[in-house]
Structures are given as C-alpha cells and as structure tokens.
Coordinates of all heavy atoms in Angstrom, one line a residue:
M185 N -13.2 -18.9 -14.3 CA -12.1 -19.9 -14.0 C -12.7 -21.2 -13.7 O -13.7 -21.4 -13.0 CB -11.3 -19.3 -12.9 CG -10.1 -20.3 -12.5 SD -9.4 -19.8 -10.9 CE -7.9 -19.0 -11.5
T186 N -12.2 -22.3 -14.3 CA -12.6 -23.6 -14.1 C -12.1 -24.2 -12.8 O -10.9 -24.1 -12.5 CB -12.2 -24.5 -15.3 OG1 -12.6 -23.9 -16.5 CG2 -12.8 -25.9 -15.1
D187 N -13.0 -24.8 -12.0 CA -12.5 -25.5 -10.8 C -12.0 -26.9 -11.1 O -12.8 -27.8 -11.4 CB -13.6 -25.5 -9.7 CG -13.2 -26.1 -8.4 OD1 -11.9 -26.4 -8.3 OD2 -14.0 -26.3 -7.5
T188 N -10.7 -27.1 -11.0 CA -10.1 -28.4 -11.4 C -10.0 -29.3 -10.2 O -9.7 -30.5 -10.3 CB -8.7 -28.3 -12.0 OG1 -7.9 -27.7 -11.0 CG2 -8.8 -27.5 -13.3
G189 N -10.3 -28.8 -9.0 CA -10.2 -29.6 -7.8 C -8.8 -29.6 -7.2 O -8.5 -30.2 -6.2
M190 N -7.9 -29.0 -8.0 CA -6.5 -29.0 -7.5 C -6.2 -27.7 -6.8 O -6.7 -26.7 -7.2 CB -5.5 -29.2 -8.7 CG -5.7 -30.5 -9.4 SD -4.6 -30.6 -10.9 CE -3.0 -30.6 -10.1
T191 N -5.4 -27.8 -5.7 CA -5.1 -26.6 -5.0 C -3.8 -26.0 -5.6 O -2.9 -26.7 -6.0 CB -4.8 -26.8 -3.5 OG1 -3.8 -27.8 -3.4 CG2 -6.1 -27.3 -2.9
A192 N -3.8 -24.7 -5.7 CA -2.6 -24.0 -6.3 C -1.5 -24.1 -5.3 O -1.7 -24.0 -4.1 CB -3.0 -22.5 -6.5
P193 N -0.2 -24.2 -5.8 CA 0.9 -24.3 -4.9 C 1.0 -22.9 -4.1 O 0.8 -21.9 -4.7 CB 2.1 -24.5 -5.8 CG 1.6 -24.2 -7.1 CD 0.2 -24.3 -7.2
E194 N 1.5 -23.0 -2.9 CA 1.7 -21.8 -2.1 C 3.0 -21.9 -1.4 O 3.5 -23.0 -1.1 CB 0.6 -21.7 -1.0 CG -0.8 -21.4 -1.6 CD -1.8 -21.1 -0.5 OE1 -1.4 -21.0 0.7 OE2 -3.0 -21.1 -0.9
P195 N 3.6 -20.7 -1.1 CA 4.9 -20.7 -0.3 C 4.7 -21.3 1.1 O 3.6 -21.1 1.7 CB 5.3 -19.3 -0.3 CG 4.1 -18.5 -0.7 CD 3.2 -19.4 -1.4
T196 N 5.7 -21.9 1.6 CA 5.6 -22.5 2.9 C 6.4 -21.7 3.9 O 7.1 -20.7 3.5 CB 6.1 -24.0 2.9 OG1 7.5 -23.9 2.6 CG2 5.3 -24.8 1.9
A197 N 6.5 -22.1 5.1 CA 7.3 -21.4 6.1 C 8.7 -21.3 5.8 O 9.3 -20.2 6.0 CB 7.1 -22.1 7.5
I198 N 9.3 -22.3 5.2 CA 10.7 -22.3 4.8 C 10.9 -21.2 3.7 O 12.0 -20.5 3.7 CB 11.3 -23.7 4.4 CG1 12.8 -23.6 4.1 CG2 10.5 -24.2 3.2 CD1 13.6 -23.3 5.3
D199 N 10.0 -21.1 2.8 CA 10.1 -20.1 1.8 C 10.1 -18.7 2.4 O 10.8 -17.8 1.9 CB 9.0 -20.3 0.8 CG 9.0 -21.6 0.1 OD1 10.1 -22.0 -0.3 OD2 8.0 -22.3 0.1
E200 N 9.2 -18.5 3.3 CA 9.1 -17.1 4.0 C 10.4 -16.8 4.7 O 10.9 -15.7 4.7 CB 7.9 -17.1 4.8 CG 6.6 -17.1 4.0 CD 5.3 -17.3 4.8 OE1 5.4 -17.2 6.0 OE2 4.3 -17.5 4.1
T201 N 10.9 -17.9 5.4 CA 12.2 -17.7 6.2 C 13.3 -17.4 5.2 O 14.1 -16.4 5.4 CB 12.5 -19.0 6.9 OG1 11.5 -19.3 7.8 CG2 13.8 -18.9 7.7
R202 N 13.4 -18.1 4.1 CA 14.5 -17.9 3.1 C 14.4 -16.5 2.5 O 15.3 -15.8 2.3 CB 14.5 -19.0 2.0 CG 15.0 -20.3 2.5 CD 16.5 -20.3 2.8 NE 17.3 -20.2 1.6 CZ 18.5 -19.6 1.6 NH1 19.0 -19.1 2.7 NH2 19.1 -19.4 0.5
Q203 N 13.1 -16.1 2.2 CA 12.9 -14.8 1.6 C 13.4 -13.7 2.6 O 14.1 -12.8 2.1 CB 11.4 -14.6 1.4 CG 11.1 -13.5 0.4 CD 10.9 -12.2 1.2 OE1 10.7 -12.1 2.4 NE2 11.0 -11.1 0.4
R204 N 13.1 -13.8 3.9 CA 13.6 -12.8 4.8 C 15.1 -12.8 4.9 O 15.7 -11.8 4.9 CB 13.0 -13.1 6.2 CG 11.6 -12.5 6.4 CD 11.1 -12.5 7.9 NE 11.2 -13.8 8.5 CZ 10.2 -14.7 8.4 NH1 9.1 -14.4 7.8 NH2 10.3 -15.9 9.0
E205 N 15.7 -14.0 5.0 CA 17.2 -14.1 5.1 C 17.8 -13.4 3.8 O 18.8 -12.7 4.0 CB 17.6 -15.6 5.1 CG 17.3 -16.2 6.4 CD 17.5 -17.8 6.4 OE1 17.8 -18.3 5.3 OE2 17.3 -18.4 7.4
L206 N 17.3 -13.8 2.7 CA 17.9 -13.2 1.4 C 17.6 -11.7 1.3 O 18.5 -11.0 0.7 CB 17.4 -14.0 0.2 CG 17.9 -15.5 0.1 CD1 17.1 -16.2 -0.9 CD2 19.4 -15.5 -0.2
Q207 N 16.5 -11.3 1.8 CA 16.2 -9.9 1.7 C 17.2 -9.1 2.6 O 17.7 -8.0 2.2 CB 14.8 -9.6 2.2 CG 14.3 -8.2 2.1 CD 14.1 -7.8 0.6 OE1 13.6 -8.7 -0.2 NE2 14.4 -6.6 0.2
I208 N 17.5 -9.6 3.8 CA 18.5 -8.9 4.6 C 19.9 -8.9 4.0 O 20.6 -7.9 3.9 CB 18.5 -9.6 6.0 CG1 17.2 -9.4 6.8 CG2 19.8 -9.2 6.8 CD1 17.0 -10.3 8.0
L209 N 20.2 -10.1 3.4 CA 21.5 -10.2 2.7 C 21.6 -9.2 1.6 O 22.6 -8.5 1.4 CB 21.7 -11.6 2.2 CG 22.9 -12.1 1.6 CD1 23.2 -13.6 1.9 CD2 22.8 -11.9 0.1
S210 N 20.5 -9.1 0.8 CA 20.5 -8.2 -0.3 C 20.6 -6.8 0.1 O 21.3 -6.0 -0.5 CB 19.2 -8.5 -1.1 OG 18.9 -7.5 -2.0
E211 N 19.9 -6.4 1.2 CA 20.0 -5.0 1.6 C 21.3 -4.7 2.2 O 21.9 -3.6 2.0 CB 18.9 -4.8 2.7 CG 17.5 -4.8 2.1 CD 16.4 -4.8 3.1 OE1 16.7 -4.8 4.4 OE2 15.2 -4.9 2.7
D212 N 22.0 -5.6 2.9 CA 23.3 -5.4 3.4 C 24.3 -5.2 2.3 O 25.2 -4.3 2.4 CB 23.8 -6.6 4.3 CG 23.1 -6.7 5.6 OD1 22.5 -5.7 6.0 OD2 23.3 -7.7 6.3
A213 N 24.2 -5.9 1.2 CA 25.1 -5.8 0.1 C 24.7 -4.6 -0.8 O 25.5 -4.3 -1.7 CB 25.1 -7.1 -0.7
V214 N 23.6 -4.0 -0.6 CA 23.0 -3.0 -1.6 C 23.0 -3.6 -3.0 O 23.5 -3.1 -3.9 CB 23.8 -1.7 -1.5 CG1 23.0 -0.6 -2.2 CG2 24.1 -1.2 -0.1
L215 N 22.5 -4.9 -3.0 CA 22.5 -5.6 -4.3 C 21.4 -5.1 -5.2 O 20.3 -4.8 -4.8 CB 22.2 -7.1 -3.9 CG 22.2 -8.1 -5.0 CD1 23.6 -8.2 -5.6 CD2 21.8 -9.5 -4.5
K216 N 21.9 -4.8 -6.4 CA 21.0 -4.3 -7.5 C 20.9 -5.2 -8.7 O 21.9 -5.8 -9.0 CB 21.4 -2.9 -7.9 CG 21.6 -1.9 -6.8 CD 20.3 -1.5 -6.2 CE 20.5 -0.4 -5.2 NZ 19.3 -0.2 -4.3
G217 N 19.8 -5.3 -9.3 CA 19.6 -6.1 -10.5 C 20.0 -5.4 -11.8 O 19.5 -5.8 -12.9
H218 N 20.9 -4.4 -11.7 CA 21.4 -3.7 -12.8 C 22.8 -3.2 -12.5 O 23.2 -3.1 -11.4 CB 20.5 -2.6 -13.2 CG 20.2 -1.7 -12.0 ND1 21.0 -0.7 -11.6 CD2 19.1 -1.6 -11.2 CE1 20.5 -0.1 -10.6 NE2 19.4 -0.6 -10.3
P219 N 23.6 -2.9 -13.6 CA 25.0 -2.4 -13.4 C 25.0 -1.1 -12.7 O 24.0 -0.3 -12.6 CB 25.5 -2.3 -14.8 CG 24.6 -3.0 -15.7 CD 23.3 -3.0 -15.0
H220 N 26.2 -0.7 -12.1 CA 26.5 0.6 -11.6 C 27.6 1.2 -12.5 O 28.8 0.9 -12.2 CB 27.0 0.4 -10.1 CG 27.3 1.7 -9.5 ND1 26.4 2.6 -9.0 CD2 28.5 2.2 -9.1 CE1 27.0 3.6 -8.5 NE2 28.3 3.4 -8.5
G221 N 27.2 1.9 -13.5 CA 28.2 2.3 -14.5 C 28.8 1.1 -15.2 O 28.1 0.2 -15.6
D222 N 30.1 1.1 -15.2 CA 30.8 -0.1 -15.8 C 31.0 -1.3 -14.8 O 31.5 -2.3 -15.2 CB 32.2 0.3 -16.2 CG 32.2 1.3 -17.4 OD1 31.1 1.3 -18.1 OD2 33.1 2.1 -17.6
E223 N 30.6 -1.1 -13.6 CA 30.8 -2.1 -12.5 C 29.6 -3.0 -12.5 O 28.4 -2.6 -12.3 CB 31.0 -1.5 -11.2 CG 32.2 -0.6 -11.1 CD 32.4 0.2 -9.8 OE1 31.5 0.1 -8.9 OE2 33.4 0.9 -9.7
Q224 N 29.8 -4.3 -12.7 CA 28.8 -5.3 -12.7 C 29.4 -6.6 -12.3 O 30.6 -6.8 -12.4 CB 28.0 -5.3 -14.0 CG 28.9 -5.5 -15.2 CD 28.2 -5.3 -16.5 OE1 27.2 -6.1 -16.8 NE2 28.5 -4.3 -17.2
C225 N 28.5 -7.6 -12.0 CA 29.0 -8.9 -11.5 C 30.0 -9.5 -12.5 O 31.0 -10.1 -12.1 CB 27.9 -9.8 -11.1 SG 26.9 -9.2 -9.7
K226 N 29.7 -9.5 -13.8 CA 30.5 -10.2 -14.7 C 31.9 -9.7 -14.8 O 32.8 -10.4 -15.3 CB 29.8 -10.3 -16.1 CG 29.9 -9.0 -16.9 CD 29.3 -9.2 -18.3 CE 29.3 -7.9 -19.1 NZ 28.6 -8.1 -20.3
N227 N 32.2 -8.5 -14.3 CA 33.6 -8.1 -14.3 C 34.1 -7.8 -12.9 O 35.0 -7.0 -12.6 CB 33.8 -6.8 -15.2 CG 33.0 -5.6 -14.8 OD1 32.4 -5.6 -13.7 ND2 32.9 -4.6 -15.6
C228 N 33.5 -8.6 -12.0 CA 33.9 -8.5 -10.5 C 34.7 -9.7 -10.2 O 34.4 -10.8 -10.7 CB 32.6 -8.4 -9.7 SG 32.9 -8.5 -7.9
L229 N 35.6 -9.5 -9.3 CA 36.5 -10.6 -8.8 C 35.8 -11.7 -8.3 O 36.2 -12.9 -8.4 CB 37.4 -10.0 -7.7 CG 38.3 -10.9 -7.0 CD1 39.4 -11.5 -7.9 CD2 39.0 -10.2 -5.8
Y230 N 34.6 -11.5 -7.7 CA 33.9 -12.6 -6.9 C 32.9 -13.4 -7.8 O 32.3 -14.3 -7.3 CB 33.1 -12.0 -5.8 CG 34.1 -11.4 -4.8 CD1 34.2 -10.0 -4.7 CD2 34.8 -12.1 -3.9 CE1 35.1 -9.4 -3.8 CE2 35.7 -11.5 -3.0 CZ 35.8 -10.2 -2.9 OH 36.7 -9.6 -2.0
Y231 N 32.8 -13.0 -9.1 CA 31.8 -13.7 -10.0 C 32.6 -14.9 -10.5 O 33.5 -14.8 -11.2 CB 31.4 -12.8 -11.1 CG 30.2 -13.2 -11.9 CD1 28.9 -13.2 -11.3 CD2 30.4 -13.6 -13.2 CE1 27.8 -13.6 -12.1 CE2 29.3 -14.0 -14.0 CZ 28.0 -14.0 -13.4 OH 26.9 -14.4 -14.1
L232 N 32.1 -16.1 -10.2 CA 32.9 -17.3 -10.4 C 33.0 -17.7 -11.8 O 34.1 -18.1 -12.3 CB 32.3 -18.5 -9.6 CG 33.2 -19.7 -9.4 CD1 34.5 -19.2 -8.6 CD2 32.5 -20.8 -8.6
D233 N 32.0 -17.7 -12.6 CA 32.0 -18.2 -14.0 C 31.6 -17.1 -15.0 O 30.4 -17.0 -15.2 CB 31.2 -19.5 -14.2 CG 31.4 -20.1 -15.5 OD1 32.0 -19.5 -16.4 OD2 31.0 -21.3 -15.7
V234 N 32.5 -16.4 -15.5 CA 32.2 -15.2 -16.4 C 31.5 -15.6 -17.7 O 30.9 -14.8 -18.4 CB 33.4 -14.3 -16.7 CG1 33.9 -13.7 -15.4 CG2 34.5 -15.1 -17.4
D235 N 31.5 -16.9 -18.0 CA 30.9 -17.4 -19.2 C 29.4 -17.6 -19.0 O 28.7 -17.9 -20.0 CB 31.5 -18.6 -19.8 CG 33.0 -18.4 -20.2 OD1 33.2 -17.3 -20.7 OD2 33.8 -19.3 -20.1
E236 N 28.9 -17.6 -17.8 CA 27.5 -17.8 -17.5 C 26.7 -16.6 -17.2 O 27.3 -15.7 -16.5 CB 27.4 -18.8 -16.3 CG 28.0 -20.2 -16.6 CD 27.2 -21.0 -17.7 OE1 26.0 -20.7 -17.8 OE2 27.8 -21.8 -18.3
A237 N 25.5 -16.5 -17.6 CA 24.6 -15.3 -17.4 C 24.2 -15.2 -15.9 O 24.0 -14.2 -15.4 CB 23.4 -15.4 -18.2
I238 N 24.2 -16.4 -15.2 CA 23.9 -16.5 -13.8 C 25.1 -17.3 -13.2 O 25.4 -18.4 -13.7 CB 22.6 -17.1 -13.5 CG1 21.5 -16.2 -14.0 CG2 22.4 -17.4 -12.0 CD1 20.1 -16.9 -13.9
S239 N 25.7 -16.8 -12.2 CA 26.8 -17.6 -11.6 C 26.9 -17.3 -10.1 O 26.2 -16.5 -9.5 CB 28.1 -17.2 -12.3 OG 29.2 -18.0 -11.8
Y240 N 27.7 -18.1 -9.5 CA 27.9 -18.0 -8.0 C 28.8 -16.8 -7.7 O 29.9 -16.7 -8.2 CB 28.6 -19.3 -7.5 CG 28.7 -19.4 -6.0 CD1 27.7 -19.6 -5.2 CD2 30.0 -19.4 -5.5 CE1 27.8 -19.7 -3.8 CE2 30.2 -19.5 -4.1 CZ 29.1 -19.6 -3.3 OH 29.3 -19.7 -1.9
C241 N 28.4 -16.0 -6.7 CA 29.2 -15.0 -6.1 C 29.8 -15.5 -4.9 O 29.1 -15.9 -3.9 CB 28.4 -13.8 -5.8 SG 29.3 -12.6 -4.8
W242 N 31.2 -15.6 -4.9 CA 31.9 -16.2 -3.7 C 32.3 -15.1 -2.7 O 33.1 -15.5 -1.7 CB 33.0 -17.1 -4.2 CG 34.1 -16.4 -5.0 CD1 34.1 -16.2 -6.3 CD2 35.3 -15.8 -4.5 NE1 35.2 -15.5 -6.7 CE2 36.0 -15.3 -5.6 CE3 35.9 -15.7 -3.2 CZ2 37.3 -14.7 -5.5 CZ3 37.2 -15.1 -3.1 CH2 37.8 -14.6 -4.2
H243 N 31.8 -13.9 -2.8 CA 32.1 -12.9 -1.7 C 31.6 -13.5 -0.4 O 30.5 -14.0 -0.3 CB 31.4 -11.6 -2.0 CG 31.8 -10.5 -1.1 ND1 31.5 -10.5 0.3 CD2 32.7 -9.5 -1.2 CE1 32.0 -9.4 0.8 NE2 32.8 -8.8 0.0
P244 N 32.5 -13.5 0.6 CA 32.1 -14.2 1.9 C 30.8 -13.7 2.6 O 30.2 -14.4 3.3 CB 33.3 -13.9 2.8 CG 34.5 -13.6 1.9 CD 33.8 -13.0 0.7
K245 N 30.4 -12.5 2.3 CA 29.2 -12.0 2.8 C 27.9 -12.3 2.0 O 26.8 -12.0 2.4 CB 29.2 -10.5 3.1 CG 30.2 -10.1 4.2 CD 30.2 -8.6 4.4 CE 31.1 -8.3 5.6 NZ 31.2 -6.8 5.8
L246 N 28.2 -12.9 0.8 CA 27.0 -13.2 -0.1 C 26.9 -14.7 -0.3 O 26.0 -15.3 0.2 CB 27.2 -12.5 -1.4 CG 26.9 -11.0 -1.3 CD1 27.3 -10.2 -2.6 CD2 25.4 -10.8 -1.1
R247 N 27.7 -15.3 -1.1 CA 27.7 -16.7 -1.4 C 26.3 -17.1 -1.9 O 25.6 -18.0 -1.4 CB 28.1 -17.6 -0.2 CG 29.5 -17.4 0.1 CD 30.0 -18.4 1.2 NE 31.5 -18.3 1.3 CZ 32.2 -18.0 2.4 NH1 31.5 -17.6 3.5 NH2 33.5 -18.0 2.4
V248 N 25.8 -16.4 -3.0 CA 24.5 -16.7 -3.6 C 24.7 -16.6 -5.1 O 25.8 -16.2 -5.6 CB 23.5 -15.7 -3.2 CG1 23.1 -15.8 -1.7 CG2 23.9 -14.3 -3.5
L249 N 23.7 -17.1 -5.9 CA 23.7 -16.9 -7.3 C 23.3 -15.5 -7.6 O 22.4 -14.9 -7.0 CB 22.7 -17.8 -7.9 CG 23.1 -19.3 -7.9 CD1 21.9 -20.2 -8.4 CD2 24.3 -19.6 -8.8
V250 N 24.0 -14.9 -8.6 CA 23.7 -13.5 -9.0 C 23.7 -13.5 -10.6 O 24.3 -14.4 -11.2 CB 24.7 -12.5 -8.5 CG1 24.6 -12.4 -7.0 CG2 26.1 -12.8 -8.9
G251 N 23.1 -12.5 -11.1 CA 23.1 -12.3 -12.6 C 24.4 -11.5 -13.0 O 24.9 -10.6 -12.3
Q252 N 24.8 -11.7 -14.3 CA 26.0 -11.1 -14.7 C 25.9 -9.6 -14.8 O 27.0 -8.9 -14.7 CB 26.5 -11.6 -16.1 CG 25.5 -11.3 -17.2 CD 26.1 -11.9 -18.5 OE1 27.1 -12.6 -18.6 NE2 25.4 -11.6 -19.6
D253 N 24.7 -9.0 -15.0 CA 24.7 -7.5 -15.0 C 24.1 -6.9 -13.7 O 23.7 -5.8 -13.7 CB 23.8 -7.1 -16.2 CG 22.4 -7.7 -16.2 OD1 22.1 -8.5 -15.4 OD2 21.6 -7.3 -17.1
W254 N 24.2 -7.7 -12.6 CA 23.9 -7.2 -11.3 C 25.1 -6.4 -10.7 O 26.2 -6.5 -11.3 CB 23.4 -8.3 -10.3 CG 22.2 -9.0 -10.7 CD1 21.5 -8.9 -11.9 CD2 21.4 -9.9 -9.8 NE1 20.4 -9.8 -11.8 CE2 20.3 -10.3 -10.6 CE3 21.6 -10.3 -8.6 CZ2 19.4 -11.2 -10.0 CZ3 20.7 -11.2 -8.0 CH2 19.6 -11.7 -8.8
Y255 N 24.9 -5.9 -9.5 CA 26.0 -5.1 -8.9 C 25.7 -5.1 -7.4 O 24.5 -5.1 -7.0 CB 26.0 -3.7 -9.5 CG 26.7 -2.7 -8.6 CD1 28.1 -2.6 -8.7 CD2 26.1 -1.9 -7.7 CE1 28.8 -1.7 -7.9 CE2 26.8 -1.0 -6.8 CZ 28.2 -0.9 -7.0 OH 28.8 -0.1 -6.2
C256 N 26.8 -5.0 -6.6 CA 26.6 -4.7 -5.2 C 27.7 -3.8 -4.7 O 28.7 -3.6 -5.4 CB 26.5 -6.0 -4.4 SG 28.1 -6.7 -3.8
Q257 N 27.6 -3.4 -3.5 CA 28.6 -2.4 -3.0 C 30.0 -3.1 -2.8 O 31.0 -2.3 -2.5 CB 28.1 -1.8 -1.7 CG 28.0 -2.8 -0.5 CD 27.8 -2.1 0.8 OE1 28.1 -0.9 1.0 NE2 27.2 -2.8 1.7
W258 N 30.1 -4.4 -2.8 CA 31.4 -5.0 -2.6 C 32.1 -5.4 -3.9 O 33.0 -6.2 -3.9 CB 31.2 -6.3 -1.7 CG 30.7 -5.9 -0.4 CD1 31.2 -4.9 0.4 CD2 29.6 -6.5 0.4 NE1 30.5 -4.8 1.6 CE2 29.5 -5.8 1.6 CE3 28.7 -7.5 0.1 CZ2 28.5 -6.1 2.5 CZ3 27.8 -7.8 1.0 CH2 27.7 -7.1 2.2
W259 N 31.6 -4.8 -5.0 CA 32.3 -5.0 -6.3 C 33.8 -4.8 -6.2 O 34.2 -3.8 -5.5 CB 31.7 -4.1 -7.4 CG 32.3 -4.3 -8.7 CD1 31.9 -5.1 -9.7 CD2 33.4 -3.6 -9.3 NE1 32.7 -5.0 -10.8 CE2 33.7 -4.1 -10.6 CE3 34.3 -2.6 -8.8 CZ2 34.7 -3.7 -11.4 CZ3 35.4 -2.2 -9.6 CH2 35.5 -2.7 -10.9
E260 N 34.5 -5.7 -6.8 CA 36.0 -5.6 -6.7 C 36.6 -5.8 -8.1 O 36.2 -6.8 -8.8 CB 36.5 -6.7 -5.7 CG 37.9 -6.6 -5.3 CD 38.2 -5.5 -4.2 OE1 37.3 -5.5 -3.3 OE2 39.2 -4.8 -4.3
E261 N 37.5 -5.0 -8.5 CA 38.1 -5.1 -9.8 C 38.9 -6.4 -9.9 O 39.6 -6.8 -8.9 CB 39.0 -3.9 -10.0 CG 39.6 -3.9 -11.4 CD 40.4 -2.6 -11.7 OE1 40.6 -1.8 -10.7 OE2 40.7 -2.4 -12.8
I262 N 38.9 -7.0 -11.0 CA 39.8 -8.2 -11.3 C 41.2 -7.7 -11.6 O 41.3 -6.9 -12.6 CB 39.2 -9.0 -12.4 CG1 37.8 -9.5 -12.1 CG2 40.1 -10.2 -12.7 CD1 37.1 -10.1 -13.3
T263 N 42.1 -8.0 -10.8 CA 43.5 -7.6 -11.1 C 44.3 -8.6 -11.8 O 43.8 -9.8 -12.0 CB 44.2 -7.3 -9.7 OG1 44.2 -8.5 -9.0 CG2 43.5 -6.3 -8.9
A264 N 45.4 -8.3 -12.3 CA 46.3 -9.2 -13.1 C 46.6 -10.4 -12.3 O 46.7 -11.5 -12.8 CB 47.5 -8.5 -13.6
E265 N 46.8 -10.3 -11.0 CA 47.2 -11.4 -10.1 C 46.0 -12.4 -9.8 O 46.2 -13.5 -9.5 CB 47.7 -11.0 -8.7 CG 48.8 -10.0 -8.8 CD 48.4 -8.6 -8.7 OE1 47.7 -8.2 -7.8 OE2 48.8 -7.8 -9.6
A266 N 44.7 -11.9 -10.0 CA 43.6 -12.7 -9.7 C 43.4 -13.8 -10.7 O 43.8 -13.8 -11.8 CB 42.3 -11.8 -9.7
Ligands
LIG488 S1 30.6 -9.1 -4.9 FE1 28.8 -8.0 -5.6 S2 29.4 -7.2 -7.6 FE2 30.8 -8.8 -7.1 S3 29.9 -10.7 -8.0 FE3 29.2 -10.6 -5.9 S4 27.2 -9.5 -6.0 FE4 28.3 -9.1 -7.9

C-alpha cells in the first residue's frame, strides 16, 4: 500500500452515538432489510413516497428513511380511506 500522507476518514463520536440510537430504534421496530411475505414498506401506510426505492417512514416511533422492500412489526395496510 502506498503511503499518501493522507489519513483515512474515521467515524467520530456523533457517528457512534447515532449508530447506537438507530440500532435501538431498529431493534424496537424489529426492522428488517427484506419483506415479510407480502408485507413490505412500499405497501405500508407509513411509507411516504411509493414511487421511490428509499423513502421516509412517518410511523411516530420511526421517522427514518427506509427501503421499499424492508419491513417492520408496525407494518399497516393501506386502506381505501388512507
Ligand atoms: S412502519 Fe415499518 S413497514 Fe411501515 S414503512 Fe415504516 S418501517 Fe416500513
């Protein structure tokens, strides 16, 4: 490996804090990076923009970006009134 004199970027304290926060949030939601049968974020009430592969989940306990084929225990069917 060539020594360029440049230091490699490293995570900082805020990154470690955010990682812990998001890990707890993810575990509480039982968030998975794959569907649960037919249930997935793109057909969940809380997935904000169904045309996007990654979108905002507005579930009050999450409020994070998720992938359209992810899933969590708070999946909710989209009803006709929604
Ligand atoms: S509530 Fe769960 S399943 Fe629904 S969009 Fe958010 S993360 Fe996905």
